[in-house]
Amino acid sequence: MIKIKFLPFVLFLLMGSTPTAIKAQKRNDSDNQKSVSLQVKPKLVVGLVVDQMRYDYLTRFWDHFGDGGFKRLANEGFNCKNNHFNYAPTYTGPGHASVYTGTTPSVHGVIGNDWYDKESGTSVYCAGDMTYASVGTTSDAGKMSPHRMNTTTITDELRLHTQMRGKVIAISLKDRGAVLPGGHTANGAYWLQGGDEGNWISSTYYMDKLPKWVTDFNASNIVEAYKKPWNTLKDISSYMESGADDNVYEGTFKGESASTFPHDLPTLWDANGKFTLLKSTPFGNSITTDFALSALDGEDLGKDDITDFLAVSFSSTDYVGHMYGVDSKEVQDTYMRLDMDLERLLKALDKKVGKGEYTVFLTSDHGANEVPAYLKDQKIPAGYVQVGVMQGKLNEFVEYTFGTNDLIKNISNNQIFLDHGVIKGLDLNLEKVQQTIAHELLGYEGVERTYTAYQMWQNEYRQGIPYILQNGYNQKRSGDVLLVLKPATVQYSITGSTHGSTYPYDTHVPLLFYGKGIKKGSTSAKTEIPDIAPTIASLLGISYPNGATGQPIVEVLD
């Protein structure tokens, strides 16, 4: 009875307050909507790729870094500590393409630095294009374009989103380190021509002649000034994070009797390609930084409200790593000097673009292995394989088994390419031939496992080595049988480091985000290289590259 008596009063209160509550809620919703930002608009995005940088270089050399380079990016930005390539082979061309397309070779098509082209029956280079001419040199070094990359890049999408008003400039000592990040629509891509020249060059794909700021740079004495001895930045006795300076695991320049500091570049100049020699020293990274700073001014990057993009690849780290190996004092000195170049670049961005007005990401195109000869001396399983010996043995098996030595057309990038015409003419079953050869190769020294193209076609792998191989497998371009060598087993010289495998020493690389729109923090959750481009696209509020398979790293975005 009491409930019935008070029910009308309660209903009156509820009904009377409902319109007010609804209006208040609408106002709150409206305010919330106004505070939501659909995009962040930095004046400039800077993409940094450090060639052959393992993740543990960041931690190993940390105490030698200053506060303004790697430490600034990591401490004030976001550090993805467990970042990996999710495909193989892990090479420079596929690495740069994957960073900027947000996908893997299975989609973007850059399956190696070079690969056997099944249509032409010849080896092709990832950035080579003889339909264009060189700009800035009379050599063929400028005959390049991104035409073998099948998808758009984050740089392409920025250009499209801004109706081609946002500028994209790409810079690297290596042509592929500039051409692939620049995408199909870059305003300019530049790389260093060595030999007698020492000049930054380009291709008619981008321009008919070099801009004045580039010709001015080439005419200056900036590059020539690095023709000087290379000694350690600090007292070499403080380089405790590296092995002995004098050891048998390192290569030497022509004319050197030992791989020890100092390296007298003026004396070694003529025998080692003249300006090409600088690429295999940390001075190559400094030259790259010098040129990037000139590009900021010459192209007026980050000077208006339309976002521009500067893609810079530091290649000397790769050249030094290949020659001296990951435990060398030369590698340590190169990263300590690179840290100073990064600080120089960031300070220039603060001044020219404005602190808080630009966004940076830093990653690598692949890692590198410990020198197998060194590991063997430490009683760790490791080794070398000789491709010629393997190929000779395989040819004998194929001729004995199938009655012909014309079955194999090419062996490259740990893949066997078969002649499908011969297989059809002999009325053989392609799947069975692939399987037979794969089983044979399993018995060869240094081979850990094999897979066939048929397996790549018929299965969808979700994890492990098959997943990594499948992401690197392109149906139109890849081979018939895929090899995986044992851990720490390589096809390389007994000195220096290399890369290309499915293993963590090649896949685990840094990923740092910094600047406008980026949270401060870190994560140990696994991230993958194809996630970079979607993360930047989400930040900018633009379309993902059209072949993107990665996902934005939501923890990074502010």
Side-chain angles (χ1 to χ4, degrees), residues 428-503:
L428 298 171
N429 180 279
L430 177 60
E431 180 190 352
K432 293 293 185 183
V433 173
Q434 291 176 350
Q435 199 172 62
T436 300
I437 292 175
H439 278 298
E440 166 68 11
L441 288 166
L442 271 178
Y444 288 13
E445 185 177 359
V447 176
E448 175 71 13
R449 58 178 77 188
T450 60
Y451 294 88
T452 67
Y454 184 81
Q455 288 176 290
M456 295 293 111
W457 279 54
Q458 295 299 312
N459 299 290
E460 186 175 352
Y461 298 107
R462 299 285 187 177
Q463 59 185 358
I465 288 176
Y467 165 77
I468 292 173
L469 289 178
Q470 191 167 53
N471 283 332
Y473 179 85
N474 185 277
Q475 291 188 348
K476 288 188 136 182
R477 294 180 175 176
S478 297
D480 292 274
V481 180
L482 286 65
L483 301 178
V484 178
L485 300 180
K486 292 180 178 179
T489 300
V490 300
Q491 304 171 32
Y492 202 62
S493 67
I494 61 172
T495 58
S497 292
T498 190
H499 49 86
S501 79
T502 61
Y503 299 115

Side-chain angles (χ1 to χ4, degrees), residues 515-535:
K516 192 167 187 176
I518 302 300
K519 285 182 180 177
K520 179 179 177 181
S522 66
T523 181
S524 294
K526 187 173 184 179
T527 58
E528 296 180 331
I529 285 293
D531 297 335
I532 297 172
T535 302

Side-chain angles (χ1 to χ4, degrees), residues 212-462:
K212 185 178 183 301
W213 69 268
V214 178
T215 59
D216 287 347
F217 187 96
N218 288 338
S220 71
N221 195 43
I222 294 175
V223 177
E224 286 82 352
Y226 289 101
K227 183 183 176 182
K228 58 185 180 180
W230 172 23
N231 209 340
T232 53
L233 184 64
K234 299 179 181 179
D235 186 336
I236 197 169
S237 64
S238 69
Y239 287 31
M240 300 299 293
E241 296 76 16
S242 303
D245 190 29
D246 189 7
N247 63 73
V248 298
Y249 311 114
E250 300 177 6
T252 58
F253 290 120
K254 292 178 182 178
E256 284 187 321
S257 58
S259 62
T260 55
F261 279 106
H263 301 286
D264 189 354
L265 303 190
T267 301
L268 301 169
W269 193 255
D270 289 342
N272 292 274
K274 300 181 178 179
F275 285 103
T276 302
L277 175 62
L278 295 177
K279 297 181 181 182
S280 297
T281 74
F283 302 143
N285 290 332
S286 297
I287 294 167
T288 303
T289 306
D290 293 337
F291 191 68
L293 296 181
S294 293
L296 282 176
D297 291 331
E299 297 289 346
D300 289 327
L301 298 177
K303 295 298 185 182
D304 56 31
D305 292 332
I306 300 174
T307 302
D308 296 323
F309 203 116
L310 176 62
V312 181
S313 178
F314 293 103
S315 304
S316 288
T317 42
D318 184 67
Y319 290 113
V320 174
H322 275 295
M323 176 170 285
Y324 295 103
V326 303
D327 288 309
S328 65
K329 295 196 185 302
E330 282 80 4
V331 161
Q332 178 165 352
D333 192 70
T334 297
Y335 276 90
M336 290 163 60
R337 291 176 181 271
L338 175 60
D339 182 62
M340 296 173 63
D341 284 321
L342 289 176
E343 180 172 357
R344 191 157 57 101
L345 177 60
L346 292 173
K347 284 182 176 179
L349 291 170
D350 289 342
K351 182 178 179 180
K352 297 175 185 294
V353 181
K355 193 170 184 179
E357 294 296 333
Y358 60 89
T359 304
V360 178
F361 70 81
L362 182 147
T363 189
S364 181
D365 55 351
H366 53 74
N369 65 289
E370 302 271 1
V371 179
Y374 168 74
L375 293 179
K376 289 174 71 175
D377 286 346
Q378 308 308 312
K379 300 180 181 179
I380 296 173
Y384 299 87
V385 296
Q386 297 180 346
V387 179
V389 174
M390 181 183 293
Q391 186 166 357
K393 185 177 178 181
L394 184 60
N395 284 336
E396 290 180 4
F397 169 79
V398 168
E399 185 169 10
Y400 176 80
T401 305
F402 300 106
T404 179
N405 58 5
D406 296 327
L407 210 60
I408 297 176
K409 298 191 76 173
N410 182 266
I411 300 178
S412 57
N413 296 324
N414 286 332
Q415 298 179 28
I416 315 295
F417 292 81
L418 303 178
D419 192 321
H420 291 200
V422 171
I423 291 172
K424 187 175 181 180
L426 293 173
D427 199 27
L428 298 171
N429 180 279
L430 177 60
E431 180 190 352
K432 293 293 185 183
V433 173
Q434 291 176 350
Q435 199 172 62
T436 300
I437 292 175
H439 278 298
E440 166 68 11
L441 288 166
L442 271 178
Y444 288 13
E445 185 177 359
V447 176
E448 175 71 13
R449 58 178 77 188
T450 60
Y451 294 88
T452 67
Y454 184 81
Q455 288 176 290
M456 295 293 111
W457 279 54
Q458 295 299 312
N459 299 290
E460 186 175 352
Y461 298 107
R462 299 285 187 177

